């Protein structure tokens, strides 16, 4: 694509460079924060009651006799080759753990996105259409309330209503690789609903705001003067121009979704990456923590980059910043 | 236009009249915040028991002695919620203050100094703002150990990026005005200009942002507590109390949700007030 001499690549390149730089800095911090531990790294990781043999094995595995930058280099090269190291607590390969957990987390986040994106889009259009009326005020009040509630509060409130009182779904969402799709959807209903609550409010408000800001522009006024109904003005005239910002917000929300699964998975004991992360954090299983943090950070940064690209593709005017 | 008239009239209004103009959600919000502050400050006077005192049998249902019952090891829930106000709000407030000090300080310096100082600070913030905060904080706290100073510094640094961006863009607008130019010609240094010329002109939007950032930090600390890496036991903290009593929820006990409700109510109250304040400063009136 070419807009006025500047190609999309020209505009995107600095953003991609920044994303890669950010990932590089995150990897540095993830790796070197372990070096900040006082005393011997192996001892700090295993605790004071570790046996001499265990310490010796770990020292050999971490290659603590080489300088830190050499070990960082090897860690990154191994990561890029798919060798993610071994868990300290279970001894299993981290890549096995990821292969098992990552699809579950994407399934949950995807399920939540399938509910929350259309829902907040429709509600955003409706509130813009009926702005300052009862529907608008009501939806906005609920959205403001939803965004102030901690995720675990929403999760437990849903458990209390749907599991304890109504008995429709179990309070925990333990799925196994053998679970069928229907079973998965049934078991992940409550966590997906919790995530919908957490993410819809922001998307809804942004959809409403981007439509409302367009409604004051001259071409919309022209359409109105022409006698077009207000519903058609929004759907036919305002919406196409609002799609860019809305898609951008959606990608940002997905990034947020991937991170907020951490709390939700913990509440529902859902076997995803978030729960693995929290478990490894509390067991101080540092090799797993490092890799999972890297996975979360990369997903988050890539989705942010996608949000940027979508915004650019939808609005070529952004290609020429003042 | 009507706003200007309102502002002028405000000076002649009695306090009661002014209070009546505040929308109901904001009034409720202000009242809730006031109650929380009183409870947080007066915790030792209000709470019937100490925060880590084993006051009765475990899982004692609510009765005359224990208004909200006791937890798994027999500590009084009500007393822990009261002390939790002090611990959770206190630490969230300290974190937000530090975060503002760092973010606004760097933002003002970047705006007034310009040039390479601005470039370095802005690019560093570009990188930091795209770090997922919860993941990063959990990782740092798991590696360095969950202690209150580590938590405060980690969250304050991570969250100062948004304050940096806001205060930099606010200060840039003020920085080009004539009176700043005059001060500069007079030979005042950057620190003086920031303190005497820029700060007084950007306080209103920064205060609204303070409310928002406080809610974020407060919910963040509660989430960390819930995940077991926030304020550590035996100190009472609303987030970790939810985790500790989560088994009660599956038995249908509403009391276990009380600390979560306390978090939700305060966050909502601050949001109501911020919403009203934001409408006031932007001149949008319902």
């Amino acid at each position: 694509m070419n807009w006025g001499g500047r190609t999309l690549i020209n505009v995107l390149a600095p953003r991609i460079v920044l994303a890669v730089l950010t990932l590089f800095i995150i990897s540095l911090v993830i790796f070197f924060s372990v070096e900040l531990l006082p005393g011997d790294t192996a001892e700090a990781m295993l605790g004071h009651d570790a046996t001499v043999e265990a310490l010796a094995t770990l020292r050999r595995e971490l290659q603590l006799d080489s300088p830190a930058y050499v070990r960082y280099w090897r860690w990154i090269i191994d990561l890029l080759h798919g060798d993610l190291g071994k868990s300290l607590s279970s001894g299993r390969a981290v890549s096995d753990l990821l292969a098992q957990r990552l699809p579950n987390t994407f399934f949950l986040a995807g399920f939540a996105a399938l509910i929350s994106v259309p829902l907040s889009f429709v509600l955003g259009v409706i509130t813009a259409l009926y702005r300052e009326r009862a529907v608008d005020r009501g939806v906005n009040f609920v959205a403001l309330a939803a965004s102030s509630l901690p995720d675990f509060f929403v999760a437990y409130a849903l458990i209390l209503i749907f599991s304890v009182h109504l008995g429709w779904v179990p309070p925990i969402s333990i799925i196994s690789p053998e679970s069928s799709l229907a079973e998965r959807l049934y078991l992940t209903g409550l966590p997906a609903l919790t995530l919908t609550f957490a993410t819809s409010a922001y998307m809804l408000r942004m959809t409403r705001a981007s439509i409302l800001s367009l409604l004051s522009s001259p071409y919309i006024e022209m359409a109105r003067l022409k006698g077009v109904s207000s519903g058609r003005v929004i759907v036919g005239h305002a919406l196409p121009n609002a799609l860019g910002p809305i898609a951008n917000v959606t990608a940002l929300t997905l990034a947020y979704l991937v991170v907020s699964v951490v709390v939700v998975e913990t509440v529902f004991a859902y076997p995803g990456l978030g729960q693995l992360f929290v478990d490894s954090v509390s067991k101080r299983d540092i090799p797993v923590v490092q890799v999972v943090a890297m996975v979360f950070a990369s997903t988050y940064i890539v989705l942010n980059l996608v949000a940027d690209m979508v915004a650019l593709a939808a609005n070529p005017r952004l290609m020429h910043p003042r | 236009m009507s706003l200007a008239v309102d502002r002028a009239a405000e000076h002649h209004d009695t306090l009661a009249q002014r209070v009546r103009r505040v929308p109901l959600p904001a009034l409720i919000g202000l009242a809730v915040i006031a109650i929380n502050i009183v409870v947080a400050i007066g915790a030792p006077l209000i709470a019937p028991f100490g925060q880590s005192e084993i006051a009765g049998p475990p899982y004692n249902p609510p009765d005359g002695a224990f208004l909200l019952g006791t937890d798994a090891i027999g500590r009084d829930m009500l007393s822990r919620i009261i002390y939790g106000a002090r611990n959770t709000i206190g630490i969230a407030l300290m974190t937000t203050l530090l975060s503002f000090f760092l973010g606004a300080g760097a933002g003002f310096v970047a705006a007034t100094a310009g040039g390479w100082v601005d470039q370095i600070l802005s690019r560093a913030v570009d990188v930091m703002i795209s770090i997922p905060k919860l993941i990063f904080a959990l990782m740092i706290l798991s590696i360095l150990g969950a202690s209150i100073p580590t938590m405060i510094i980690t969250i304050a640094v991570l969250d100062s990026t948004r304050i940096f961006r806001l205060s930099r863009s606010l200060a840039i607008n003020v920085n080009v005005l004539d009176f700043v130019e005059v001060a500069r010609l007079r030979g005042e240094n950057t620190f003086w200009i920031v303190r005497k010329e820029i700060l007084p002109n950007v306080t209103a939007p920064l205060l609204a942002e303070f409310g928002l950032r406080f809610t974020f930090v407060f919910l963040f600390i509660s989430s960390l507590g819930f995940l077991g890496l926030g304020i550590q036991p035996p100190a009472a903290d609303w987030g970790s109390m939810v985790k500790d009593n989560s088994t009660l929820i599956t038995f249908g006990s509403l009391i276990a949700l009380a600390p979560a409700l306390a978090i939700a109510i305060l966050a909502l109250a601050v949001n109501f007030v911020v919403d009203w304040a934001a409408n006031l400063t932007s001149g949008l009136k319902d």
Side-chain angles (χ1 to χ4, degrees), chain B residues 149-170:
Chain B
T150 316
M151 183 168 74
I152 291 180
I153 294 170
T154 309
I155 302 174
V157 170
L158 286 175
D159 203 40
S160 62
T161 50
R162 296 193 180 275
I163 302 154
F164 171 88
R165 283 203 174 160
L166 176 71
S167 44
R168 177 178 170 275
S169 68
L170 288 171

Side-chain angles (χ1 to χ4, degrees), chain B residues 165-248:
Chain B
R165 283 203 174 160
L166 176 71
S167 44
R168 177 178 170 275
S169 68
L170 288 171
I172 278 181
N173 289 333
V174 179
N175 195 37
V176 292
L177 297 178
D178 290 344
F179 58 86
V180 180
E181 193 68 18
V182 170
R184 200 162 273 143
L185 289 174
R186 213 161 56 216
E188 307 290 0
N189 61 32
T190 307
F191 179 67
W192 194 94
I193 292 174
V194 166
R195 200 164 48 95
K196 293 278 186 186
E197 308 285 5
I198 291 180
L199 196 56
N201 287 298
V202 297
T203 7
L206 276 186
L207 276 179
E209 183 70 9
F210 189 87
L212 278 183
R213 289 342 292 166
F214 172 80
T215 328
F216 177 84
V217 168
F218 171 69
L219 288 175
F220 195 91
I221 288 177
S222 302
S223 296
L224 284 180
F226 176 75
L227 295 173
L229 279 154
I231 300 164
Q232 293 298 306
D237 161 57
W238 289 345
S240 45
M241 284 177 74
V242 178
K243 179 75 178 171
D244 293 344
N245 296 295
S246 60
T247 40
L248 281 179

Side-chain angles (χ1 to χ4, degrees), chain A residues 22 26 29-30 33-34 37 141 144-145 148-150 152-153 156 160 164 259 266-267 277 281 284 289 296 300-301, chain B residues 127 130-132 135-136 138-139 142-143 219 226-227 229 242 246 249 252 254 257 260-261 263-264 267-268 271-272:
Chain A
T22 309
I26 290 178
V29 178
I30 286 178
S33 52
V34 180
L37 290 173
F141 184 83
L144 181 65
S148 343
L149 298 177
F152 52 83
F153 177 80
Y156 282 126
L160 206 58
V164 180
V259 173
T266 308
V267 174
F277 188 61
V281 158
R284 302 193 71 203
V289 170
F296 271 122
Y300 186 82
I301 288 167
Chain B
V127 168
S130 47
I131 293 175
I135 303 297
F136 212 69
L138 280 174
M139 196 201 68
S142 82
I143 291 175
L219 288 175
F226 176 75
L227 295 173
L229 279 154
V242 178
S246 60
I249 292 167
L254 282 170
L257 272 182
L261 200 61
I263 298 170
L268 204 54
N271 265 343
F272 280 155

Side-chain angles (χ1 to χ4, degrees), chain A residues 118-129 135-136 139 200 204 207-208:
Chain A
L119 179 76
S120 36
F121 182 73
V122 169
L123 285 178
V125 173
I126 289 177
T127 48
L129 198 56
V135 190
D136 180 33
V139 170
S200 297
L204 186 162
T207 306
R208 178 179 180 272

Side-chain angles (χ1 to χ4, degrees), chain A residues 268-284:
Chain A
F268 291 96
Y270 181 77
L273 206 57
Q275 199 209 26
L276 175 68
F277 188 61
V278 173
D279 276 355
S280 315
V281 158
S282 51
K283 284 185 205 149
R284 302 193 71 203

Side-chain angles (χ1 to χ4, degrees), chain A residues 19-20 22-23 251-252 254-255 294-310, chain B residues 130 132:
Chain A
V20 173
T22 309
L23 272 177
L252 286 179
L254 289 182
M294 217 42 223
V295 172
F296 271 122
S298 323
T299 317
Y300 186 82
I301 288 167
V302 167
L303 284 171
N304 269 305
L305 190 64
V306 170
D308 273 356
M309 290 182 180
V310 168
Chain B
S130 47

